[in-house]
Amino acid sequence: MPETLRLRDQGDELADLIKRVAAARRVVVVTGAGISVNCGIPDFRSSTGLFQQIRAAHGDVISSGRDLFDASVVFRSAQTADVFYHWMTHLRHQCAGAQPGAVHRFIRQLADRGTLLRSYTQNIDGLERKAGLSVWDPYSAKGDAEHVPWQAAQSVPLHGSMEHLSCQLCSSSYHFSEQSSESAIRAGDECPDCQARSQVREACGRRSLATGKLRPTVVLYEEPHPHCEDIAKIISHDARALGTRRSSGVSKQSQDVVLVFGTTLKVPGCRQLVRKLATASPETTLTVFVNNEPVCGKSWDGIVDYQVIGNVEDWCARVERKWSVQTKITQWTKTRKSGASAAPSSKGKPKVAVIAKENVPAADPPSNAISGKQMVSKKRESAACVDSGTEGSDSETIRKRKRQRPCTPSALPPVNELLLPIRRSLRIATQQNHVYCHSPVSICI
């Protein structure tokens, strides 16, 4: 018998199990009618479920509410078929007004986190699509906007859906309208395609054809599943995906997880599904069953690892809180690592202040300074004076003057100090007929 834990207990084993589920690498979810009860859609087998409601309303027609979903009983007479169409229309209106619950949002979070491998549901309410999951619909054509190939589908309805109506004779498919208007196509109506073909034959003078009636595309008891081969292919693919992980070096904190929510596991197909997924790789896959009442007995020993008794929505809330803690720890670790890696790069390097040129105030020139234009004119005047008195100067002195490095105006002394040695040199050169520059500042022409 699987190990049984109660959600209201605050034991270490339950906390460790929630931690392992929150850190799962891949998750497969199998859900039943129990997850939609809080959304306003009744389940089937409880004391207030759909079976009891049907029996109370139509006890004179059917002996059990289950018979209304049994294909060998419901289409036995026109009276039972009318009751079936009535309840299917009523259930369709309930599904149209319902909104996704906490468990549907939990599955959507699994998909957003990238850990959801697949969600299998026995429900026909279509709330997975409203929650934002991509749903595999075999009745949608490839050109339709809602068509999703099974490889990309996040949710697989095991028992069909209430989205479409199908003709029992020609298998033509139509959208099951959510409105109860006169123009809407409803369950129990005659197939438009069958009517059109019959009218064409009658116009040609031939006998009319039989006309089929439309029924919801849900799978009933005691009838073959019309898409069983496609669903078997999807299940086999996911079972192989769960078994591809190496059994060596697998950490408990990073396992693959199979979650079973809100079902009694009485439907044979659902039992086979859970067994196949749980036993695909038992060393690396953790299987957890969560329900209000214990379901798994000795027959599930070695298949289901843990049976948690409690509200499924409370379980999902606790896993979400663990996700929040893990996210905060991850963000803190990343921040610390980024700070540690950035610290050595700035160590030992002086901080350089960069100042924009336009923001630097211009320094006031000294009172005895001259401008650049004035300095150039002074140079030219001085050169002219020197040239006028150096008719007999030798060429070597001229070459030396040309090789001398020019001085920038900012490096020159004030004008009074600059002109005094020049005047003295010119006076001496004029007297001795020889040019020397005794000034410490060279004048370049």
Side-chain angles (χ1 to χ4, degrees):
M1 184 174 180
E3 186 169 356
T4 302
L5 303 175
R6 296 195 174 274
L7 193 59
R8 65 172 179 265
D9 298 339
Q10 301 295 329
D12 295 337
E13 190 172 5
L14 180 62
D16 179 68
L17 176 61
I18 293 175
K19 184 178 180 181
R20 292 166 64 182
V21 172
R25 176 173 173 260
R26 287 176 297 198
V27 180
V28 177
V29 184
V30 181
T31 58
I35 70 169
S36 298
V37 173
N38 290 341
C39 303
I41 300 175
D43 60 357
F44 288 91
R45 291 179 172 83
S46 66
S47 58
T48 59
L50 199 60
F51 289 167
Q52 296 297 328
Q53 295 180 23
I54 295 173
R55 183 180 180 182
H58 305 281
D60 55 336
V61 179
I62 54 175
S63 58
S64 162
R66 183 186 181 279
D67 291 344
L68 197 62
F69 296 90
D70 192 330
S72 62
V73 177
V74 70
F75 299 116
R76 186 180 298 172
S77 65
Q79 189 177 9
T80 56
D82 291 340
V83 174
F84 171 75
Y85 296 140
H86 168 75
W87 276 96
M88 287 296 99
T89 304
H90 173 70
L91 189 59
R92 172 59 174 164
H93 294 162
Q94 282 187 315
C95 295
Q99 295 299 322
V103 182
H104 302 95
R105 292 190 293 269
F106 171 80
I107 299 174
R108 171 62 189 270
Q109 287 192 57
L110 286 172
D112 293 341
R113 292 170 62 89
T115 57
L116 179 66
L117 179 59
R118 200 87 64 186
S119 171
Y120 294 91
T121 179
Q122 302 176 77
N123 301 336
I124 58 176
D125 48 34
L127 293 181
E128 287 78 14
R129 190 188 300 275
K130 290 184 177 181
L133 297 174
S134 57
V135 180
W136 176 69
D137 186 0
Y139 292 96
S140 61
K142 289 186 177 180
D144 294 347
E146 296 182 353
H147 176 74
V148 179
W150 69 266
Q151 296 88 342
Q154 297 169 334
S155 178
V156 175
L158 297 172
H159 299 156
S161 69
M162 302 285 287
E163 299 289 333
H164 303 279
L165 295 170
S166 177
C167 177
Q168 301 179 65
L169 188 61
C170 69
S171 300
S172 298
S173 178
Y174 301 91
H175 178 70
F176 195 172
S177 177
E178 300 176 358
Q179 307 297 329
S180 57
S181 60
E182 295 182 358
S183 60
I185 299 178
R186 295 165 295 183
D189 290 350
E190 292 186 349
C191 174
D193 284 357
C194 292
Q195 287 181 333
R197 283 192 293 268
S198 180
Q199 291 172 2
V200 170
R201 285 181 61 89
E202 290 178 358
C204 296
R206 299 181 181 181
R207 64 179 179 85
S208 62
L209 296 176
T211 303
K213 288 193 174 184
L214 301 178
R215 54 161 286 188
T217 54
V218 296
V219 182
L220 303 178
Y221 295 110
E222 305 300 331
E223 74 172 346
H225 199 301
H227 305 284
C228 58
E229 294 181 359
D230 296 330
I231 293 180
K233 180 172 59 178
I234 300 173
I235 295 173
S236 299
H237 172 272
D238 294 346
R240 287 194 302 269
L242 292 175
T244 53
R245 189 141 188 218
R246 297 189 303 271
S247 57
S248 58
V250 176
S251 172
K252 281 187 176 182
Q253 303 301 327
S254 182
Q255 290 180 306
D256 295 334
V257 176
V258 176
L259 297 175
V260 186
F261 292 152
T263 177
T264 57
L265 295 176
K266 290 185 178 181
V267 179
C270 186
R271 287 203 301 266
Q272 295 176 7
L273 168 64
V274 174
R275 287 179 183 273
K276 186 165 187 176
L277 294 174
T279 58
S281 181
E283 323 62 48
T284 61
T285 304
L286 176 68
T287 304
V288 181
F289 177 85
V290 184
N291 198 41
N292 286 327
E293 300 175 355
V295 173
C296 301
K298 292 183 178 180
S299 61
W300 293 97
D301 193 15
I303 301 174
V304 175
D305 298 307
Y306 290 93
Q307 180 177 217
V308 180
I309 309 303
N311 187 278
V312 181
E313 294 185 353
D314 294 342
W315 162 271
C316 295
R318 294 188 64 171
V319 176
E320 289 172 356
R321 286 197 295 269
K322 181 60 67 174
W323 282 341
S324 178
V325 173
Q326 291 176 351
T327 302
K328 291 179 180 179
I329 293 175
T330 303
Q331 292 176 350
W332 178 82
T333 305
K334 288 182 179 179
T335 304
R336 190 173 184 184
K337 285 183 179 179
S338 61
S341 60
S345 60
S346 60
K347 188 176 181 180
K349 291 185 179 181
K351 295 183 179 180
V352 180
V354 180
I355 303 175
K357 274 188 174 183
E358 59 270 18
N359 296 333
V360 180
D364 296 330
S367 58
N368 57 352
I370 61 176
S371 65
K373 292 183 178 180
Q374 293 175 349
M375 183 60 63
V376 171
S377 61
K378 290 291 183 182
K379 286 183 181 180
R380 290 176 180 174
E381 292 175 3
S382 301
C385 296
V386 173
D387 290 339
S388 62
T390 57
E391 295 177 356
S393 61
D394 55 313
S395 60
E396 183 179 356
T397 305
I398 297 173
R399 285 197 301 272
K400 287 182 179 180
R401 279 205 306 269
K402 289 182 179 180
R403 288 196 300 268
Q404 290 175 350
R405 185 177 181 181
C407 301
T408 58
S410 61
L412 293 175
V415 62
N416 295 332
E417 298 179 7
L418 179 63
L419 296 178
L420 183 60
I422 294 175
R423 292 170 182 170
R424 186 183 301 113
S425 300
L426 292 175
R427 191 166 47 250
I428 296 173
T430 304
Q431 295 174 359
Q432 300 180 359
N433 199 18
H434 193 75
V435 178
Y436 288 99
C437 184
H438 301 284
S439 172
V441 179
S442 301
I443 300 177
C444 301
I445 301 175

mmCIF file of all heavy atoms in Angstrom, residues 409-425:
data_model
loop_
_atom_site.group_PDB
_atom_site.id
_atom_site.type_symbol
_atom_site.label_atom_id
_atom_site.label_comp_id
_atom_site.label_asym_id
_atom_site.label_seq_id
_atom_site.Cartn_x
_atom_site.Cartn_y
_atom_site.Cartn_z
ATOM 1 N N PRO A 409 52.094 79.790 -27.401
ATOM 2 C CA PRO A 409 51.846 81.084 -26.727
ATOM 3 C C PRO A 409 51.669 80.943 -25.238
ATOM 4 O O PRO A 409 52.003 81.845 -24.495
ATOM 5 C CB PRO A 409 50.565 81.579 -27.389
ATOM 6 C CG PRO A 409 50.538 80.907 -28.718
ATOM 7 C CD PRO A 409 51.193 79.578 -28.523
ATOM 8 N N SER A 410 51.146 79.792 -24.776
ATOM 9 C CA SER A 410 50.924 79.648 -23.339
ATOM 10 C C SER A 410 52.212 79.522 -22.571
ATOM 11 O O SER A 410 52.243 79.746 -21.359
ATOM 12 C CB SER A 410 50.038 78.433 -23.081
ATOM 13 O OG SER A 410 50.677 77.263 -23.567
ATOM 14 N N ALA A 411 53.326 79.127 -23.267
ATOM 15 C CA ALA A 411 54.596 78.941 -22.560
ATOM 16 C C ALA A 411 55.457 80.210 -22.556
ATOM 17 O O ALA A 411 56.520 80.219 -21.954
ATOM 18 C CB ALA A 411 55.393 77.803 -23.209
ATOM 19 N N LEU A 412 55.079 81.222 -23.264
ATOM 20 C CA LEU A 412 55.877 82.434 -23.349
ATOM 21 C C LEU A 412 55.697 83.288 -22.102
ATOM 22 O O LEU A 412 54.613 83.345 -21.532
ATOM 23 C CB LEU A 412 55.455 83.231 -24.576
ATOM 24 C CG LEU A 412 55.785 82.577 -25.932
ATOM 25 C CD1 LEU A 412 55.196 83.415 -27.054
ATOM 26 C CD2 LEU A 412 57.285 82.445 -26.111
ATOM 27 N N PRO A 413 56.741 84.011 -21.689
ATOM 28 C CA PRO A 413 56.631 84.928 -20.541
ATOM 29 C C PRO A 413 55.865 86.173 -20.937
ATOM 30 O O PRO A 413 55.537 86.369 -22.095
ATOM 31 C CB PRO A 413 58.090 85.237 -20.214
ATOM 32 C CG PRO A 413 58.810 85.055 -21.492
ATOM 33 C CD PRO A 413 58.117 83.951 -22.220
ATOM 34 N N PRO A 414 55.584 87.033 -20.012
ATOM 35 C CA PRO A 414 54.875 88.275 -20.328
ATOM 36 C C PRO A 414 55.633 89.116 -21.357
ATOM 37 O O PRO A 414 56.837 88.954 -21.558
ATOM 38 C CB PRO A 414 54.776 88.989 -18.984
ATOM 39 C CG PRO A 414 54.877 87.885 -17.989
ATOM 40 C CD PRO A 414 55.781 86.856 -18.588
ATOM 41 N N VAL A 415 54.928 90.012 -21.987
ATOM 42 C CA VAL A 415 55.478 90.744 -23.124
ATOM 43 C C VAL A 415 56.655 91.621 -22.730
ATOM 44 O O VAL A 415 57.634 91.764 -23.482
ATOM 45 C CB VAL A 415 54.355 91.575 -23.779
ATOM 46 C CG1 VAL A 415 53.783 92.599 -22.816
ATOM 47 C CG2 VAL A 415 54.852 92.236 -25.049
ATOM 48 N N ASN A 416 56.649 92.218 -21.548
ATOM 49 C CA ASN A 416 57.750 93.097 -21.153
ATOM 50 C C ASN A 416 59.042 92.331 -20.984
ATOM 51 O O ASN A 416 60.121 92.778 -21.391
ATOM 52 C CB ASN A 416 57.399 93.827 -19.861
ATOM 53 C CG ASN A 416 56.224 94.783 -20.064
ATOM 54 O OD1 ASN A 416 56.026 95.281 -21.174
ATOM 55 N ND2 ASN A 416 55.451 95.021 -18.992
ATOM 56 N N GLU A 417 58.945 91.151 -20.372
ATOM 57 C CA GLU A 417 60.131 90.333 -20.175
ATOM 58 C C GLU A 417 60.627 89.754 -21.497
ATOM 59 O O GLU A 417 61.810 89.468 -21.656
ATOM 60 C CB GLU A 417 59.842 89.189 -19.207
ATOM 61 C CG GLU A 417 59.456 89.663 -17.815
ATOM 62 C CD GLU A 417 59.142 88.506 -16.875
ATOM 63 O OE1 GLU A 417 59.361 87.350 -17.291
ATOM 64 O OE2 GLU A 417 58.681 88.765 -15.767
ATOM 65 N N LEU A 418 59.732 89.557 -22.459
ATOM 66 C CA LEU A 418 60.123 88.973 -23.731
ATOM 67 C C LEU A 418 60.841 89.980 -24.639
ATOM 68 O O LEU A 418 61.833 89.648 -25.291
ATOM 69 C CB LEU A 418 58.876 88.440 -24.435
ATOM 70 C CG LEU A 418 59.081 87.798 -25.807
ATOM 71 C CD1 LEU A 418 59.945 86.561 -25.702
ATOM 72 C CD2 LEU A 418 57.749 87.476 -26.449
ATOM 73 N N LEU A 419 60.387 91.196 -24.672
ATOM 74 C CA LEU A 419 60.941 92.157 -25.605
ATOM 75 C C LEU A 419 62.245 92.785 -25.137
ATOM 76 O O LEU A 419 63.068 93.236 -25.962
ATOM 77 C CB LEU A 419 59.922 93.270 -25.864
ATOM 78 C CG LEU A 419 58.622 92.821 -26.542
ATOM 79 C CD1 LEU A 419 57.693 94.010 -26.696
ATOM 80 C CD2 LEU A 419 58.914 92.202 -27.884
ATOM 81 N N LEU A 420 62.503 92.821 -23.848
ATOM 82 C CA LEU A 420 63.725 93.475 -23.347
ATOM 83 C C LEU A 420 64.985 92.787 -23.836
ATOM 84 O O LEU A 420 65.880 93.450 -24.383
ATOM 85 C CB LEU A 420 63.670 93.526 -21.820
ATOM 86 C CG LEU A 420 64.833 94.239 -21.141
ATOM 87 C CD1 LEU A 420 64.897 95.716 -21.610
ATOM 88 C CD2 LEU A 420 64.686 94.173 -19.623
ATOM 89 N N PRO A 421 65.145 91.484 -23.743
ATOM 90 C CA PRO A 421 66.388 90.860 -24.257
ATOM 91 C C PRO A 421 66.503 90.959 -25.765
ATOM 92 O O PRO A 421 67.605 91.023 -26.330
ATOM 93 C CB PRO A 421 66.266 89.400 -23.840
ATOM 94 C CG PRO A 421 65.059 89.277 -23.005
ATOM 95 C CD PRO A 421 64.294 90.542 -23.079
ATOM 96 N N ILE A 422 65.341 90.957 -26.455
ATOM 97 C CA ILE A 422 65.402 91.044 -27.911
ATOM 98 C C ILE A 422 65.977 92.397 -28.340
ATOM 99 O O ILE A 422 66.832 92.483 -29.241
ATOM 100 C CB ILE A 422 64.006 90.832 -28.499
ATOM 101 C CG1 ILE A 422 63.525 89.397 -28.220
ATOM 102 C CG2 ILE A 422 63.983 91.114 -30.000
ATOM 103 C CD1 ILE A 422 62.114 89.124 -28.648
ATOM 104 N N ARG A 423 65.504 93.439 -27.716
ATOM 105 C CA ARG A 423 66.016 94.760 -28.051
ATOM 106 C C ARG A 423 67.519 94.866 -27.768
ATOM 107 O O ARG A 423 68.289 95.420 -28.535
ATOM 108 C CB ARG A 423 65.267 95.829 -27.269
ATOM 109 C CG ARG A 423 63.817 95.976 -27.695
ATOM 110 C CD ARG A 423 63.082 96.870 -26.730
ATOM 111 N NE ARG A 423 61.667 96.976 -27.114
ATOM 112 C CZ ARG A 423 60.727 97.537 -26.340
ATOM 113 N NH1 ARG A 423 61.066 98.043 -25.153
ATOM 114 N NH2 ARG A 423 59.485 97.613 -26.768
ATOM 115 N N ARG A 424 67.987 94.317 -26.643
ATOM 116 C CA ARG A 424 69.409 94.364 -26.289
ATOM 117 C C ARG A 424 70.227 93.582 -27.309
ATOM 118 O O ARG A 424 71.302 94.027 -27.750
ATOM 119 C CB ARG A 424 69.616 93.789 -24.892
ATOM 120 C CG ARG A 424 71.047 93.947 -24.408
ATOM 121 C CD ARG A 424 71.263 93.312 -23.033
ATOM 122 N NE ARG A 424 70.396 93.898 -22.031
ATOM 123 C CZ ARG A 424 69.410 93.254 -21.436
ATOM 124 N NH1 ARG A 424 69.147 91.998 -21.770
ATOM 125 N NH2 ARG A 424 68.674 93.858 -20.523
ATOM 126 N N SER A 425 69.688 92.443 -27.746
ATOM 127 C CA SER A 425 70.441 91.624 -28.712
ATOM 128 C C SER A 425 70.544 92.321 -30.048
ATOM 129 O O SER A 425 71.586 92.276 -30.727
ATOM 130 C CB SER A 425 69.747 90.261 -28.888
ATOM 131 O OG SER A 425 69.686 89.575 -27.661
#
